Amino acid sequence: MKAEKLWMKYINKYPNNKDKTYEAWYFGNNEKMANELAELVVGGEKTATTSGLCFYELDNEELPKEGEFNIILDWDNNAKCITKTTKVYTIPFNKVTKEHAFKEGEGDKTLSYWRKVHIEFFKQELKKYEKEFNENMIVVCEEFEVVWK
């Protein structure tokens, strides 16, 4: 199902949100990651995500805000669910907590697993901008809840 169709189903059920907007996107930078993380969200395991503040700055994008809606896609742009952002904060990478790592729902949900996969991911993404990973880089931590699947 396409994002617009899923959004219309949601709006038909909850017309008080008809004036709201959404962003549609997938997690990660490859098919396996996008599909696995979308399923973790749908299944309720993943209720948080982390991105690099520098990417918002480099791409001239606004940070997510509490109360915003997102349609989570799989790699093929199929809409999997709608989430609502409940919390957004920035913090140095090396200060991310085990509680946040657990909410990300990935792997064994430990901080050490979270650090390993996020260091790898950020290194890959930063290369595209000819930048290097730094443990002190500021990250954007976002928490959300599924409001429609």
Side-chain angles (χ1 to χ4, degrees):
M1 175 182 313
K2 294 297 176 200
E4 301 82 21
K5 187 172 182 180
L6 184 65
W7 184 250
M8 290 311 300
K9 285 184 173 200
Y10 177 72
I11 293 303
N12 286 336
K13 180 77 173 176
Y14 299 102
N16 59 324
N17 287 318
K18 71 178 189 261
D19 295 331
K20 304 286 187 191
T21 60
Y22 66 88
E23 293 290 325
W25 50 274
Y26 55 79
F27 290 99
N29 59 7
N30 64 61
E31 182 175 5
K32 183 176 187 285
M33 185 183 298
N35 295 345
E36 286 178 2
L37 297 181
E39 288 306 316
L40 287 175
V41 173
V42 170
E45 291 292 312
K46 183 172 183 61
T47 60
T49 192
T50 306
S51 48
L53 177 62
C54 63
F55 300 119
Y56 290 96
E57 294 168 345
L58 289 164
D59 296 334
N60 201 26
E61 292 182 11
E62 288 188 31
L63 292 180
K65 294 179 183 65
E66 290 178 20
E68 289 182 334
F69 291 93
N70 294 283
I71 296 184
I72 305 303
L73 307 172
D74 66 13
W75 187 254
D76 295 321
N77 289 318
N78 297 306
K80 304 305 282 184
C81 65
I82 301 173
T83 64
K84 185 175 183 180
T85 303
T86 58
K87 184 176 182 180
V88 179
Y89 60 97
T90 57
I91 191 170
F93 178 89
N94 59 9
K95 301 290 184 195
V96 170
T97 65
K98 65 182 181 182
E99 291 80 13
H100 183 81
F102 182 86
K103 290 175 184 178
E104 290 228 14
E106 300 170 38
D108 63 4
K109 299 183 186 179
T110 62
L111 181 58
S112 61
Y113 180 87
W114 180 91
R115 288 177 51 78
K116 177 181 172 283
V117 297
H118 281 78
I119 288 171
E120 183 180 304
F121 176 78
F122 287 138
K123 282 182 176 180
Q124 286 176 356
E125 292 303 300
L126 286 164
K127 259 187 209 175
K128 297 174 186 175
Y129 297 94
E130 298 180 353
K131 298 196 176 290
E132 292 188 14
F133 173 77
N134 177 325
E135 292 247 353
N136 294 309
M137 71 181 266
I138 303 299
V139 294
V140 179
C141 295
E142 180 179 353
E143 296 179 20
F144 52 84
E145 62 184 358
V146 174
V147 295
W148 188 268
K149 47 182 170 176

